[in-house]
Amino acid sequence: MSLESSTSPAARSEAWSQETLAQVWGERNLEIVYGTAGRLYRPLLAVCAMTIVPALVAAAAVVVALGDRIAIVNGTPLLLTSSPGVLWAYAGVLLIMIAAGLACSAAGSRLVVDHIDGRPSSPARAVLAVLRRPHAFLLLAAELTLAAGALFVLVVVVAELVESIVLALILAAVAGLFTLPALLALTALTVSPGRVPPLRTAFRLAARDYTGTAWRVALACLVIPGLAQAALYGLRFLLPIPTGVAIADAVRVTAAVLLAPFQAATLGCCYAYLRRWDAPEPTTTGEPARRRTKSWPVVAALLPGLLYGEFAVANPLGRAEVVDNELIAKERYPDQSISAQIVTGSGGRPVIITDRGMPKPAFCGDGACARQAAVPLGAYLDGQSVATSMPDDSVLISGWVYEPSPSDDVELHLFSCRPGGCARRPGNPLRLARKGWLHVNVAAAATPDGVAIASIAPEPGSDGVFARVELTLCRDAACAAPRTIAVGRLRDRPIVSVDNRTVAVAVSPDGRPVIAYVDRVSRKTTVVSCDTPSCPHPRTHAFTASESPEPVLWWWLTGSLRIQMAIGPDGRPVIVENDPEREVSKILFCSDRECSGPPRSVTVSEIATMSAPGLALDAAGRPILAGYDTEDLRVTVLACEDTGCARRRLTHLIPANAFGPLDLVVGPDRRPRIVWYGTPDRGGTPTYHVLTCADTYCRKS
């Protein structure tokens, strides 16, 4: 009999000859097996659609149902918190998926055997052949699962004994290869439904050529589909992260269904060849297929991948309350967390700066930073740079440019950055600091008609004893005609840690710049409030916010001082600064717009960072802080539930498994974005991430 007739469509009823069956074991093994799968692909896919697809949809439903415990990390769902109920749910879904895969192989191989016998049956009848023996099928599924579990235990034990995972995997591969003939029991379950156990039938048939059966099943059933899945896994490295990861994983889910018919055809062809010496089995009943299988199995096969991809990429139901994406712009010192800043740019899309020295601003292409573009600044900056979102959709970066020289002079420059690149403001620097290296600081905020820049640099002629605070007002992003005002004086002290931001500036609802700065020697905090947007007569008030030093609990907080400020809807400043000698931060509530009296102080000890926690205000002017939980290092949001923060709500978002800088911004959609340092995977490598809450102000439902 020719190969053409042996692989004829299901509608034909001519049985294979002994000559054709013999070719299954010959050089044309894969050609015949996969050719048969191709000819019977739609019926086989229908079998898999009736078995595997419901199990995959059930798994997706469990993931969606547990959405409040799941974060989408780099496009992949990650379970954040566990419990006995969740573990039982996952175990149940895993067992269902294993049973569904085995049922697909059993019913599909039955369909192939019926085709080889010249009595093609329908996909529904093949599935019913499995369902008619539920006890035998469940027992067989349990036996095969236990065998796979035993192989896993073997790998673990051998790896521990010989301290070599390679040797353990080789041993497991050899052992697994010689247990593969047991899969023929799935075909025996439906083709030979007698009193003989399916495993006994499978090993009896395989004994006629055990080695040949093992490697043929391995090659056609595991190796080639496995290589296809490995190639699809490589898509995640070719496509953009994290969207590409979710797409690649969704394609792999779909491919698992689309490849299953080839695995079923392998078992069916091998079984038919090995039993050719037996008498025809009268229990193999079938009926001619009068109608060709329609296209619905293809649609059903695509459904699980589409559901998974939509959940991982778009999170349409908002069930996953945290979307976290790793930054592609790597810092110059990946083993050191240096600094972090985040602002919202055009359309509420985040812009992140996470490096010191030669920063590369990362522009996010969407609100969750799934698409990113990093652009080099093209200059070396001393200390902290600061990003400001401008109305023309650009991001203005203010920083002290350092050119190595014996004089250690630094210059304050502006850089206008877009996703296409950065350009330095032409002309003279805004400020020159003689011998200012490690003695300078800067902050900036957008005003209704330009930008306000506050800077600290050594005072000329003071021999490094004093520093001067200046406010530079620009009427546009180009800062063509800057106007500089001296607003304060403090004791100078070199910057000795990675995140010292001792000056902050914010703009009130009526457009007035407000500056706050800290004297690191006297520990006094000074607030300079402009009377009008042009600031002709600023008013200054100072107070002491830091307490006396206490023993250092976390050594990395030593010397790292940061001050942040936001202006509430009523025009009153809210200031957050950390105590560099203690594991606490303080929220300072000014009593009026000028902070003329001592502000009310609230201590925050629940969260900490390498500097002060990230600060934002909600629509009512209540502070929102972000940091790392001081007990278990999880990224956490602390939301004040009243204007004085007497009542607070802690929301734990994602494990950090590390400690570093952190910053927070609330976008126009009122959803916080947090740039943080660490890894959600306990065995991963810490790096910078951008976390987006699905709910307003990270209020979990």
Coordinates of all heavy atoms in Angstrom, one line a residue, residues 447-449 452 471 473 483 485 487 505-515 528-539 593-594:
T447 N 6.6 75.7 36.4 CA 5.7 76.8 36.8 C 4.7 77.0 35.6 O 4.9 76.5 34.5 CB 6.5 78.1 37.0 OG1 7.2 78.5 35.8 CG2 7.6 77.9 38.1
P448 N 3.7 77.8 35.8 CA 2.7 78.1 34.7 C 3.4 78.6 33.4 O 2.8 78.3 32.3 CB 1.8 79.1 35.3 CG 1.8 78.8 36.8 CD 3.2 78.5 37.1
D449 N 4.5 79.3 33.5 CA 5.1 79.9 32.3 C 6.5 79.5 32.1 O 7.2 80.1 31.4 CB 4.9 81.4 32.3 CG 5.6 82.0 33.5 OD1 6.0 81.3 34.4 OD2 5.8 83.3 33.6
A452 N 11.1 76.7 37.6 CA 11.8 77.3 38.8 C 12.9 76.3 39.2 O 12.6 75.1 39.5 CB 10.9 77.6 39.9
L471 N 17.6 80.8 43.6 CA 16.4 80.5 42.8 C 16.5 81.1 41.5 O 16.6 82.3 41.3 CB 15.1 80.9 43.5 CG 13.8 80.7 42.7 CD1 13.5 79.3 42.5 CD2 12.6 81.4 43.4
L473 N 14.6 81.6 37.9 CA 13.3 81.5 37.2 C 13.5 81.6 35.7 O 14.2 82.6 35.2 CB 12.4 82.6 37.7 CG 12.1 82.6 39.2 CD1 11.3 83.8 39.6 CD2 11.3 81.3 39.6
R483 N 16.4 84.5 35.4 CA 16.6 85.5 36.5 C 16.9 84.8 37.8 O 16.1 83.9 38.1 CB 15.3 86.4 36.6 CG 15.5 87.6 37.6 CD 14.3 88.5 37.5 NE 13.1 87.8 37.9 CZ 12.6 87.9 39.2 NH1 13.4 88.6 40.1 NH2 11.5 87.4 39.6
I485 N 17.8 84.7 41.9 CA 17.6 85.4 43.2 C 18.3 84.6 44.3 O 18.1 83.4 44.4 CB 16.1 85.5 43.5 CG1 15.3 86.1 42.3 CG2 15.9 86.3 44.8 CD1 13.8 85.9 42.4
V487 N 18.3 83.3 47.9 CA 17.2 83.1 48.8 C 17.6 82.5 50.2 O 16.8 82.4 51.1 CB 16.1 82.2 48.2 CG1 15.4 82.9 47.0 CG2 16.6 80.9 47.8
V505 N 11.9 72.1 45.6 CA 11.1 73.2 45.2 C 9.8 72.7 44.7 O 9.7 71.6 44.1 CB 11.9 74.1 44.1 CG1 12.2 73.2 42.9 CG2 11.1 75.3 43.7
A506 N 8.7 73.4 44.9 CA 7.4 73.1 44.4 C 6.7 74.4 44.1 O 7.1 75.5 44.5 CB 6.6 72.3 45.5
V507 N 5.6 74.3 43.4 CA 4.9 75.4 42.9 C 3.5 75.3 43.5 O 2.8 74.3 43.4 CB 4.8 75.5 41.4 CG1 4.0 76.7 40.9 CG2 6.3 75.6 40.8
S508 N 3.0 76.4 44.1 CA 1.6 76.5 44.7 C 0.6 76.5 43.6 O 0.9 76.8 42.4 CB 1.5 77.7 45.6 OG 1.6 78.9 44.8
P509 N -0.7 76.3 43.9 CA -1.8 76.4 42.9 C -1.8 77.7 42.2 O -2.3 77.8 41.1 CB -3.0 76.1 43.7 CG -2.5 75.3 44.9 CD -1.2 75.8 45.2
D510 N -1.4 78.8 42.9 CA -1.4 80.1 42.2 C -0.1 80.5 41.6 O 0.1 81.7 41.2 CB -1.8 81.2 43.3 CG -0.9 81.3 44.5 OD1 0.1 80.4 44.5 OD2 -1.1 82.1 45.3
G511 N 0.8 79.5 41.4 CA 2.0 79.7 40.6 C 3.2 80.2 41.4 O 4.2 80.6 40.7
R512 N 3.1 80.3 42.7 CA 4.3 80.8 43.5 C 5.3 79.7 43.8 O 4.9 78.6 44.3 CB 3.8 81.4 44.8 CG 2.9 82.5 44.8 CD 2.4 82.9 46.1 NE 1.7 81.9 46.8 CZ 2.3 81.1 47.8 NH1 3.5 81.4 48.2 NH2 1.5 80.2 48.4
P513 N 6.6 79.9 43.5 CA 7.6 78.9 43.9 C 7.8 78.9 45.4 O 7.7 80.0 46.0 CB 8.8 79.4 43.1 CG 8.4 80.3 42.0 CD 7.1 80.9 42.6
V514 N 8.0 77.7 45.9 CA 8.3 77.5 47.3 C 9.5 76.6 47.4 O 9.5 75.6 46.8 CB 7.1 76.9 48.1 CG1 7.4 76.8 49.6 CG2 5.8 77.8 47.9
I515 N 10.5 77.1 48.2 CA 11.8 76.3 48.3 C 11.9 75.9 49.7 O 11.6 76.6 50.7 CB 13.0 77.2 47.9 CG1 12.8 77.7 46.5 CG2 14.3 76.4 48.0 CD1 12.3 79.2 46.5
V528 N 11.4 78.9 52.1 CA 11.4 80.2 51.4 C 10.1 80.2 50.5 O 10.0 79.5 49.6 CB 12.6 80.4 50.6 CG1 12.6 81.8 49.9 CG2 13.9 80.3 51.5
S529 N 9.2 81.1 50.8 CA 7.9 81.2 50.1 C 7.9 82.5 49.3 O 8.1 83.6 49.9 CB 6.8 81.2 51.1 OG 5.5 81.3 50.4
C530 N 7.7 82.4 48.0 CA 7.6 83.6 47.1 C 6.3 84.2 47.3 O 5.2 83.5 47.4 CB 7.9 83.2 45.7 SG 9.6 82.7 45.4
D531 N 6.2 85.6 47.3 CA 5.0 86.3 47.4 C 4.2 86.3 46.1 O 2.9 86.3 46.1 CB 5.2 87.7 47.9 CG 6.2 88.4 47.0 OD1 7.0 87.7 46.2 OD2 6.2 89.7 47.0
T532 N 4.8 86.2 45.0 CA 4.2 86.2 43.6 C 5.0 85.2 42.8 O 6.1 84.8 43.1 CB 4.2 87.5 43.0 OG1 5.5 88.0 42.7 CG2 3.5 88.6 43.9
P533 N 4.5 84.8 41.6 CA 5.3 84.0 40.7 C 6.6 84.5 40.3 O 7.6 83.8 40.1 CB 4.4 83.8 39.5 CG 3.0 84.0 40.0 CD 3.1 85.0 41.1
S534 N 6.8 85.8 40.3 CA 8.1 86.4 39.9 C 9.0 86.5 41.2 O 10.2 86.8 41.0 CB 7.9 87.8 39.3 OG 7.3 88.7 40.2
C535 N 8.5 86.3 42.4 CA 9.3 86.2 43.6 C 10.1 87.5 43.9 O 11.3 87.4 44.2 CB 10.2 85.0 43.6 SG 10.7 84.4 45.2
P536 N 9.5 88.7 43.9 CA 10.3 89.9 44.2 C 10.6 90.0 45.7 O 11.7 90.5 46.1 CB 9.4 91.0 43.7 CG 8.1 90.5 43.8 CD 8.1 89.0 43.5
H537 N 9.8 89.4 46.6 CA 10.0 89.6 48.0 C 9.7 88.3 48.7 O 8.7 88.0 49.3 CB 9.0 90.7 48.6 CG 9.1 92.0 47.9 ND1 10.2 92.8 48.0 CD2 8.3 92.6 47.0 CE1 10.1 93.9 47.2 NE2 8.9 93.8 46.7
P538 N 10.7 87.3 48.6 CA 10.5 86.0 49.3 C 10.5 86.2 50.8 O 11.2 87.0 51.3 CB 11.6 85.2 48.8 CG 12.7 86.2 48.4 CD 11.9 87.4 47.9
R539 N 9.8 85.3 51.5 CA 9.7 85.3 52.9 C 10.3 84.0 53.4 O 10.0 82.9 52.9 CB 8.3 85.5 53.4 CG 7.7 86.8 53.0 CD 6.3 86.9 53.5 NE 5.7 88.2 53.1 CZ 4.5 88.6 53.4 NH1 3.7 87.9 54.2 NH2 4.0 89.8 53.0
R593 N 0.5 79.1 54.4 CA 1.2 79.0 53.1 C 2.6 79.4 53.2 O 3.4 78.9 52.3 CB 0.5 80.0 52.1 CG -1.0 79.6 51.9 CD -1.5 80.3 50.6 NE -1.1 81.7 50.5 CZ -1.3 82.4 49.4 NH1 -1.9 81.9 48.3 NH2 -1.0 83.7 49.4
E594 N 3.0 80.1 54.2 CA 4.4 80.5 54.3 C 5.2 79.7 55.3 O 6.4 79.9 55.5 CB 4.5 82.0 54.7 CG 3.9 82.9 53.7 CD 3.9 84.4 54.2 OE1 4.4 84.6 55.3 OE2 3.5 85.3 53.5

